[in-house]
């Protein structure tokens, strides 16, 4: 959600959606940064570009969510990505 009014451009924040799902994705992303090589590289690349922590972790959460949605759509089990 943005906090804009007229010419004022405020800070954006994530407040939409379900808080329980959002908190679970946050913890899953924190674990994935440590144990999933693909997400770890993605997170490190964002941080090296100077992105704030919350922006980088939210991007990792989105990667996880799209991956989980694809697994559910295809009715398959989780297969780790091998480099």
């Amino acid at each position: 959600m943005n906090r804009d009014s007229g010419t004022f451009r405020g800070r954006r924040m994530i407040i939409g959606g379900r808080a329980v799902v959002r908190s679970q994705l946050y913890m899953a992303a924190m674990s994935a940064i440590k144990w999933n090589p693909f997400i770890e590289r993605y997170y490190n690349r964002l941080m090296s570009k100077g992105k704030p922590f919350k922006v980088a972790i939210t991007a990792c959460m989105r990667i996880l969510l799209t991956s989980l949605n694809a697994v559910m759509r295809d009715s398959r089990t989780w297969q780790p990505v091998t480099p």
Side-chain angles (χ1 to χ4, degrees):
M1 303 296 276
N2 55 12
R3 301 187 88 182
D4 299 344
S5 175
T7 58
F8 175 76
R9 297 290 177 249
R11 191 170 199 174
R12 268 76 171 151
M13 61 185 130
I14 297 175
I15 60 172
R18 294 173 286 185
V20 173
V21 174
R22 200 168 53 246
S23 65
Q24 295 298 319
L25 276 173
Y26 176 83
M27 292 308 296
M30 292 296 288
S31 294
I33 288 170
K34 187 172 183 177
W35 298 105
N36 187 320
F38 175 77
I39 294 182
E40 179 184 16
R41 285 192 306 269
Y42 184 69
Y43 172 79
N44 289 333
R45 186 171 68 234
L46 290 174
M47 293 301 283
S48 68
K49 287 182 178 180
K51 300 291 183 185
F53 168 76
K54 284 193 177 184
V55 171
I57 195 73
T58 303
C60 292
M61 288 165 57
R62 185 170 171 86
I63 295 267
L64 281 176
L65 184 61
T66 55
S67 299
L68 291 171
N69 282 336
V71 166
M72 294 299 293
R73 177 195 66 212
D74 298 338
S75 299
R76 294 190 299 174
T77 59
W78 176 260
Q79 299 294 323
V81 176
T82 57

